[in-house]
Amino acid sequence: MPRANYRSSDVSLMARMMRAEAEGEGKLGMLYVGNVIVNRLVANCLDFKGLRSINSVIFQVQGGNFSFEAVQKGNVFYQRARTSEKRLAKQNLDYWRQHPGKYALWYFNPHAPCPPTWYDQPQSGQFKNHCYYEPKAGTCDSVYQG
């Protein structure tokens, strides 16, 4: 059983976001970004309550801005999804989870060393230029399921 219900259009949308956010970090970096996308969909807690589709995760607006910078700034995001990234997105949606993105709900590239917390959430690790952050213990147990 997949981690989240999805359609082929969801796979393409997620693949475009993974590429736009982490193409320079290779397949593994894109998979970690995919972990965050799927985690936000299944978590239903904190800033991610009520998200019911990949589309709602990708185009979520928080504080007047899109949650994913690539939606408003990235030309790569608006290019057609490639087969290789679609395969990675499908892996994430079906089963793939790995540290440091395994339970992460946030990531960012600080262009400096990763801070130990980000918006009061603990760092789960780093991969290349991206720092990953999990929810504080007891604040989002659903992200640790499935």
Side-chain angles (χ1 to χ4, degrees):
M1 180 163 68
R3 289 193 63 221
N5 293 326
Y6 62 91
R7 301 177 310 225
S8 62
S9 61
D10 296 322
V11 173
S12 293
L13 179 61
M14 189 167 147
R16 290 173 29 216
M17 181 56 68
M18 291 165 65
R19 178 179 173 207
E21 290 283 322
E23 181 177 33
E25 297 190 353
K27 290 180 181 179
L28 195 53
M30 288 187 278
L31 282 166
Y32 291 139
V33 167
N35 277 165
V36 171
I37 294 168
V38 176
N39 288 346
R40 287 180 179 188
L41 178 60
V42 301
N44 200 29
C45 62
L46 302 170
D47 295 335
F48 311 107
K49 287 182 181 172
L51 300 177
R52 299 288 182 256
S53 67
I54 294 298
N55 191 72
S56 65
V57 172
I58 299 293
F59 292 104
Q60 182 184 26
V61 174
Q62 294 177 308
N65 294 306
F66 288 105
S67 295
F68 292 99
E69 197 172 82
V71 172
Q72 61 197 39
K73 293 184 179 178
N75 291 335
V76 172
F77 175 68
Y78 292 99
Q79 295 175 8
R80 182 186 312 249
R82 299 186 302 197
T83 303
S84 57
E85 285 89 19
K86 286 182 189 179
R87 237 184 333 267
L88 296 175
K90 191 164 174 9
Q91 273 184 263
N92 280 126
L93 288 159
D94 285 340
Y95 65 89
W96 196 92
R97 294 172 93 180
Q98 187 171 309
H99 180 79
K102 187 171 186 176
Y103 304 117
L105 290 174
W106 304 272
Y107 66 88
F108 81 112
N109 178 349
H111 302 286
C114 294
T117 61
W118 194 50
Y119 293 102
D120 206 29
Q121 306 300 326
Q123 181 190 8
S124 58
Q126 179 175 354
F127 183 75
K128 295 190 179 182
N129 294 322
H130 281 106
C131 308
Y132 291 85
Y133 296 85
E134 295 181 7
K136 274 194 290 192
T139 62
C140 188
D141 294 338
S142 57
V143 80
Y144 299 101
Q145 299 169 3

